[in-house]
Amino acid sequence: MDIEQKLYNAAVELAQKRYPLGWGGAAAVRVESGKILTSVAPDIKNESLGLCMEVGAYLEAHKLDEVVTHSLCVSRESEATEFIILTPCGVCQERLVYWGGNVLAAITNPENKLIFKSIRELQPYHWSAVNGEPL
């Protein structure tokens, strides 16, 4: 089984366990050592304090001093619907920039296939270029 499928399976497994009924979502991140880190978005009462599903895994990678190589996020509307792959939001793309332009992120697509693009591909005009440090 390839890295991408392992990430997808890990995210879906966590989402199904954490949210057996109704909406569910989770993220899976692979780090350079080969470990897969997973996370969910925190349940909160004030939506303005919300965080993306990937943030927990990114923070865990930082804590372990690991380099993120892949990132994937999925969600579903209910236990009766399939999981949809979500492209990282702009803020999470900026978070991934920390590990460089070669980090691969799963992207939303019409066929809901496991397609990964580098952060460099997702942000070809990244602002860091003005500093002489393009992705």
Side-chain angles (χ1 to χ4, degrees):
M1 184 180 320
D2 61 11
I3 292 167
E4 291 85 358
Q5 190 63 53
K6 286 180 183 176
L7 282 172
Y8 181 83
N9 292 351
V12 167
E13 182 180 315
L14 174 58
Q16 289 173 330
K17 180 179 177 185
R18 178 66 178 81
Y19 306 102
L21 300 174
W23 179 92
V29 171
R30 182 186 182 273
V31 294
E32 209 166 48
S33 68
K35 267 186 225 169
I36 293 178
L37 309 172
T38 59
S39 59
V40 297
D43 293 328
I44 53 168
K45 293 182 188 240
N46 181 342
E47 288 298 319
S48 67
L49 301 174
L51 292 170
C52 298
M53 290 180 267
E54 305 97 307
V55 173
Y58 296 163
L59 292 172
E60 185 74 7
H62 274 286
K63 181 183 91 177
L64 298 172
D65 197 22
E66 292 267 13
V67 174
V68 171
T69 63
H70 295 73
S71 182
L72 173 138
C73 191
V74 296
S75 77
R76 64 157 196 235
E77 290 299 316
S78 77
E79 69 278 6
T81 60
E82 73 174 315
F83 282 93
I84 303 298
I85 298 163
L86 303 174
T87 303
C89 73
V91 173
C92 282
Q93 288 181 37
E94 284 295 326
R95 290 175 175 133
L96 289 171
V97 165
Y98 174 80
W99 292 286
N102 292 325
V103 176
L104 297 173
I107 60 164
T108 303
N109 61 87
E111 296 83 30
N112 201 38
K113 291 186 178 185
L114 282 174
I115 299 173
F116 283 73
K117 299 284 184 183
S118 71
I119 293 300
R120 185 174 288 111
E121 290 175 286
L122 294 178
Q123 295 203 13
Y125 305 103
H126 190 264
W127 60 266
S128 62
V130 299
N131 298 323
E133 303 171 11
L135 294 176

